[in-house]
């Protein structure tokens, strides 16, 4: 029986998702960002992400104190929010840390830093969905907001991907 060829691990996991989505946000997109716009975005991207990462971490720390109070009051009132209040906060923290970790690589136009931003976008999408489940009255608007934000974020990211090596 002939041996099956070994698969390269470099195209596994996230790279498969990236290569699957890339045509939709580049060649098949209704329009392309002009070259000068892409170059401007590449030059600003590290700083935008640094500010975004710091804001995410500060928001997490603020929400941490608020969540402690809300959880205590809820338990006293006979309602236990459980992990539903903590999961979106941890996702927010993860996104902020990813943005901060990506900063040095973005300044050097490294593809690994670009991939970190890709995953931060995915995490933000998950965060919006999880947040909708914490506040069910906002579930539909959370899903719509998550879809719109991930489409815009992915479009911008894929438009500048070829600047990162």
């Amino acid at each position: 029986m002939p041996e099956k060829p070994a698969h390269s691990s470099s195209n596994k996991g996230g790279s498969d998702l990236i290569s699957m989505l890339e045509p939709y946000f580049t060649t098949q997109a209704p329009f392309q960002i002009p070259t000068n716009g892409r170059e401007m975005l590449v030059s600003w991207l590290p700083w935008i992400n640094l500010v975004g990462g710091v804001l995410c971490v500060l928001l997490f720390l603020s929400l941490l104190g608020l969540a402690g109070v809300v959880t205590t009051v809820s338990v006293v009132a006979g309602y236990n929010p459980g992990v539903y209040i903590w999961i979106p906060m941890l996702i927010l923290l993860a996104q902020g840390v990813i943005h901060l970790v990506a900063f040095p690589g973005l300044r050097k136009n490294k593809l690994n830093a670009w991939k970190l931003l890709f995953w931060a976008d995915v995490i933000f999408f998950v965060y919006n969905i999880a947040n909708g489940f914490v506040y069910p009255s906002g579930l539909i608007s959370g899903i719509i907001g998550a879809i719109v934000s991930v489409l815009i974020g992915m479009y911008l990211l894929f438009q500048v991907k070829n600047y990162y090596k």
Side-chain angles (χ1 to χ4, degrees), residues 7-163:
H7 293 292
S8 168
S9 62
S10 65
N11 283 337
K12 293 287 182 189
S15 294
D16 287 343
L17 180 59
I18 291 170
S19 61
M20 181 185 77
L21 292 175
E22 190 166 7
Y24 297 109
F25 294 106
T26 56
T27 56
Q28 296 178 10
F31 62 92
Q32 306 298 312
I33 297 175
T35 303
N36 60 349
R38 291 178 194 207
E39 290 170 354
M40 187 172 56
L41 184 58
V42 168
S43 67
W44 290 358
L45 203 54
W47 304 104
I48 292 169
N49 281 280
L50 179 64
V51 170
V54 168
L55 290 176
C56 282
V57 171
L58 290 175
L59 180 59
F60 167 79
L61 293 173
S62 298
L63 291 174
L64 187 62
L66 183 62
V69 171
V70 168
T71 301
T72 303
V73 170
S74 297
V75 169
V76 169
Y79 173 74
N80 185 3
V83 297
Y84 296 110
I85 198 167
W86 300 102
I87 290 174
M89 289 177 37
L90 292 175
I91 292 170
L92 180 66
L93 178 64
Q95 182 191 11
V97 169
I98 289 172
H99 281 283
L100 293 174
V101 169
F103 175 74
L106 289 173
R107 291 197 57 197
K108 296 176 183 173
N109 291 10
K110 299 287 184 182
L111 185 60
N112 285 341
W114 182 93
K115 287 180 180 180
L116 285 173
L117 293 186
F118 172 82
W119 289 112
D121 247 9
V122 171
I123 288 171
F124 188 68
F125 178 75
V126 171
Y127 167 75
N128 280 330
I129 300 299
N131 204 32
F133 284 107
V134 171
Y135 306 105
S137 62
L139 181 60
I140 300 301
S141 64
I143 290 172
I144 292 169
I147 291 170
V148 169
S149 69
V150 80
L151 288 174
I152 292 170
M154 292 292 176
Y155 174 75
L156 293 173
L157 271 179
F158 279 104
Q159 287 288 302
V160 298
K161 182 177 182 261
N162 63 343
Y163 289 87

